[in-house]
Amino acid sequence: QLQASGGGSVQTGGSLRLSCAVSGRTFSRYTLVWFRQAPGQEREFVGGISQSTGTSYYSDSVKGRFTIVIFNANHTVYLHMNSLKPEDTAVYYCAAAINGGIIRTISTHYRYWGQGTLVTVSS
């Protein structure tokens, strides 16, 4: 199971850190990703990290502003968000898949999902 938290309201230029606690004994095998969904829009890939390859990948819209970090001691993946913009406003979801370390940008590829946490960025 995945449990996301950390959402909230910030002003433009602010920062937030989202957390996703992952339970289960297969944590080290997961490719871990974040998606987001704004009202009336489709779910959008934000970024992901492969534990098997050590690589990360981000969408162009967040590259350079968002960073994904894994803390193995507590099986948690974090999404550090800096320089937030109003267009970052969305419900953010963490997701996971056991897939040999491939970071895919399509949401249907991921079997395990957190419940979502709302991020609101005001101008």
Side-chain angles (χ1 to χ4, degrees):
Q1 288 185 336
L2 282 70
Q3 183 75 29
S5 61
S9 298
V10 296
Q11 292 187 328
T12 298
S15 298
L16 276 176
R17 186 187 74 172
L18 305 184
S19 303
C20 179
V22 182
S23 60
R25 292 177 290 180
T26 56
F27 177 77
S28 63
R29 298 174 59 194
Y30 286 133
T31 296
L32 296 159
V33 297
W34 289 90
F35 282 79
R36 66 186 181 186
Q37 188 165 18
Q41 298 187 21
E42 294 185 353
R43 196 162 292 190
E44 174 193 21
F45 174 81
V46 173
I49 189 165
S50 166
Q51 297 193 79
S52 59
T53 65
T55 58
S56 57
Y57 177 74
Y58 300 90
S59 68
D60 288 342
S61 61
V62 307
K63 194 176 299 180
R65 300 188 297 122
F66 291 12
T67 304
I68 296 174
V69 176
I70 291 176
F71 191 49
N72 284 299
N74 62 0
H75 287 194
T76 300
V77 57
Y78 299 96
L79 178 65
H80 294 267
M81 305 185 295
N82 298 315
S83 302
L84 284 161
K85 306 175 181 179
E87 51 264 43
D88 295 318
T89 295
V91 176
Y92 283 71
Y93 299 89
C94 56
I98 298 176
N99 65 351
I102 300 171
I103 302 171
R104 299 190 187 275
T105 62
I106 301 173
S107 61
T108 53
H109 177 74
Y110 295 90
R111 178 177 180 182
Y112 307 104
W113 288 84
Q115 81 284 10
T117 184
L118 177 62
V119 172
T120 303
V121 185
S122 58
S123 57

